[in-house]
Amino acid sequence: MPSTLPLGDPAPADGVLPPQAAASAGERSFSLYAHIPFCAVRCGYCDFNTYTATELGGGASQANYAATASGEVRFAAGALDASRVPRRRLSTVFFGGGTPTLLPAEDLAAILASAAAEWGIEPGAEVTTEANPDSVTPQSLRTLADAGFTRVSFGMQSAVPHVLRVLDRTHTPSRVPEAVHWAREAGLDVSLDLIYGTPGETLDDWRASLDAALACEPDHVSAYALIVEEGTKLAVQIRRGEVPDVDDDDHAEKYETADAVLGDAGFHWYEVSNWARGDASDRRFECRHNLAYWHGGDWWGVGPGAHSHVGGVRWWNVKHPTAYAGRLAQGASPAAGRETLDDATRRVEHVLLQIRLAEGLPTADIAPDGRAAVAGLIADGLVDGPAAVQGRLVLTLRGRLLADAVVRRLLP
């Protein structure tokens, strides 16, 4: 969740949504995202809306955060009721950050319990928390599992010490398998997040990280190219020449390596940056929460800077935890702004998101002028020809590397 908020229309203090939010809501899934904005250390590459304890001060206390976030859950339920959006049980819940597990496990459990009390949680729902490997213990993971969490996503990033140092990560490589073992003992599914293309990372370094991740026997692996965001410590270091810049060709080679290594290990690719254990017919370990985003489901985002979407209405909360808590204390919506998407914008977003998935984009969902580009995309090896004939655009490996270019050709 990037820290810069978009521009938009004013959001009403009562949080009531326009009528289109309720239309056909019963046909869409409903999820909860809970943003925990606290980190022990700000990583040099991170542009997310996060804060260390020393940055906050004032009334934005970690000790009170669970109560504040639970207050937004109750506000959300009331606002959706007032908007005539039918109550639906949560199909997925995701705690992100920041580092959610900097809060006591009991606090995360309390936020989850407040959501369950308002909406209920579907049987078999996916409930995930992100975590740093050094922010969990065997007991904290057992507490989370007992509270209803089903999955933990560890920010491994790399298994190579000098790469972790450039990224300002605080854990050691040896802590990752230990944390995964504890999570397994608690009965949790495990995902590992990796970053490739860090300045100074060699291809051998990247292979070592992939091998180390697979040695942990996770259920899911996410591999993201490092993006250098303006205003971050890493951007300054690159500008000063203290570390080398990132390289697109290096990114491409490492992505291809990841796809080959993970495929050989029995993982299937299902979204540009995500692989799940098992073949493509076994979807148990794909991240259902992220799939809800990509398929245009509804979700309420709790927390400072969190984004929400219900029925084509999107809004985002004020960024700072103090301002966020203050608004809720006054009984007002913490939303800083919102937008109501028209049909054309929703169609564009559908193309942007659906083309990233292994299941592909139905050609019928593309405007006629975009369909004219399909033959060229096949000829250039960016989409699979047989799949296109059957009515779906599915990216090839080369197409995944050039996904933005594919989208531009489909949306002339």
Side-chain angles (χ1 to χ4, degrees), residues 21-97:
S24 303
E27 301 173 10
R28 300 189 299 270
S29 64
F30 182 48
S31 299
L32 179 75
Y33 171 76
H35 185 62
I36 313 299
F38 307 114
C39 283
V41 174
R42 181 181 295 282
C43 296
Y45 63 91
C46 182
D47 186 44
F48 284 9
N49 188 40
T50 63
Y51 304 83
T52 63
T54 55
E55 287 175 324
L56 285 175
S61 167
Q62 291 186 32
N64 297 330
Y65 188 76
T68 303
S70 296
E72 188 182 357
V73 168
R74 292 188 292 274
F75 179 91
L80 291 175
D81 287 348
S83 305
R84 301 185 182 278
V85 176
R87 290 208 173 198
R88 293 160 289 171
R89 290 189 293 188
L90 293 164
S91 57
T92 68
V93 181
F94 195 100
F95 285 68

Side-chain angles (χ1 to χ4, degrees), residues 11 31 38 67 107 151 157 250 260-261 273 322 351 360 408:
S31 299
F38 307 114
D107 285 4
R151 187 172 179 272
Q157 319 309 11
D250 176 66
V261 170
S273 299
T322 302
V351 171
R408 285 194 296 271

Side-chain angles (χ1 to χ4, degrees), residues 89-91 120-126 288:
R89 290 189 293 188
L90 293 164
S91 57
I121 297 177
E122 289 183 358
E126 176 190 272
R288 284 183 273 152

Side-chain angles (χ1 to χ4, degrees), residues 253-277:
E253 184 175 21
K254 287 173 178 171
Y255 182 88
E256 291 172 340
T257 299
D259 191 60
V261 170
L262 293 169
D264 288 346
F267 284 69
H268 70 274
W269 165 75
Y270 71 97
E271 191 275 339
V272 166
S273 299
N274 291 276
W275 292 259
R277 181 157 60 87

Side-chain angles (χ1 to χ4, degrees), residues 41-391:
V41 174
R42 181 181 295 282
C43 296
Y45 63 91
C46 182
D47 186 44
F48 284 9
N49 188 40
T50 63
Y51 304 83
T52 63
T54 55
E55 287 175 324
L56 285 175
S61 167
Q62 291 186 32
N64 297 330
Y65 188 76
T68 303
S70 296
E72 188 182 357
V73 168
R74 292 188 292 274
F75 179 91
L80 291 175
D81 287 348
S83 305
R84 301 185 182 278
V85 176
R87 290 208 173 198
R88 293 160 289 171
R89 290 189 293 188
L90 293 164
S91 57
T92 68
V93 181
F94 195 100
F95 285 68
T99 308
T101 44
L102 278 185
L103 293 185
E106 292 80 5
D107 285 4
L108 301 182
I111 299 170
L112 180 61
S114 69
E118 294 295 340
W119 295 299
I121 297 177
E122 289 183 358
E126 176 190 272
V127 182
T128 303
T129 185
E130 293 181 333
N132 285 345
D134 55 359
S135 67
V136 296
T137 65
Q139 180 56 53
S140 70
L141 291 166
R142 285 195 297 269
T143 298
L144 292 173
D146 289 345
F149 284 79
T150 64
R151 187 172 179 272
V152 60
S153 179
F154 287 116
M156 175 180 175
Q157 319 309 11
S158 175
V160 179
H162 76 85
V163 175
L164 292 172
R165 283 195 297 273
V166 173
L167 295 174
D168 291 323
R169 302 298 289 179
T170 57
H171 67 272
T172 61
S174 62
R175 182 61 181 247
V176 176
E178 187 174 39
V180 171
H181 174 69
W182 295 339
R184 291 295 194 200
E185 285 190 323
L188 297 168
D189 290 344
V190 174
S191 178
L192 295 176
D193 283 0
L194 298 172
I195 291 177
Y196 58 89
T198 299
E201 179 191 59
T202 67
L203 185 58
D204 285 343
D205 290 334
W206 176 232
R207 287 182 180 275
S209 292
L210 289 166
D211 289 344
L214 290 171
C216 295
E217 299 184 346
D219 303 299
H220 184 278
V221 175
S222 298
Y224 301 109
L226 179 67
I227 297 174
V228 181
E229 303 286 358
E230 282 300 317
T232 61
K233 174 185 170 183
L234 183 59
V236 173
Q237 291 174 313
I238 290 173
R239 189 164 58 249
R240 290 174 177 171
E242 296 170 3
V243 296
D245 203 348
V246 298
D247 179 81
D248 289 344
D249 291 337
D250 176 66
H251 279 178
E253 184 175 21
K254 287 173 178 171
Y255 182 88
E256 291 172 340
T257 299
D259 191 60
V261 170
L262 293 169
D264 288 346
F267 284 69
H268 70 274
W269 165 75
Y270 71 97
E271 191 275 339
V272 166
S273 299
N274 291 276
W275 292 259
R277 181 157 60 87
D279 62 34
S281 66
D282 181 1
R283 308 195 65 176
R284 288 175 299 162
F285 299 111
E286 295 177 6
C287 180
R288 284 183 273 152
H289 185 83
N290 284 341
L291 285 167
Y293 292 156
W294 296 321
H295 285 304
D298 291 348
W299 75 90
W300 191 290
V302 165
H307 289 231
S308 303
H309 169 266
V310 176
V313 183
R314 183 163 47 222
W315 66 98
W316 44 90
N317 287 348
V318 293
K319 283 177 53 177
H320 200 278
T322 302
Y324 167 76
R327 290 206 184 182
L328 286 168
Q330 296 168 11
S333 167
R338 79 180 186 191
E339 59 183 341
T340 301
L341 308 180
D342 58 26
D343 289 343
T345 303
R346 295 181 76 174
R347 191 178 308 113
V348 167
E349 292 196 353
H350 174 70
V351 171
L352 285 167
L353 296 172
Q354 194 75 25
I355 195 65
R356 298 175 61 90
L357 299 175
E359 64 201 60
L361 171 72
T363 52
D365 294 352
I366 310 168
D369 52 354
R371 287 179 212 159
V374 172
L377 293 171
I378 295 171
D380 292 341
L382 298 174
V383 299
D384 180 69
V389 170
Q390 296 174 16

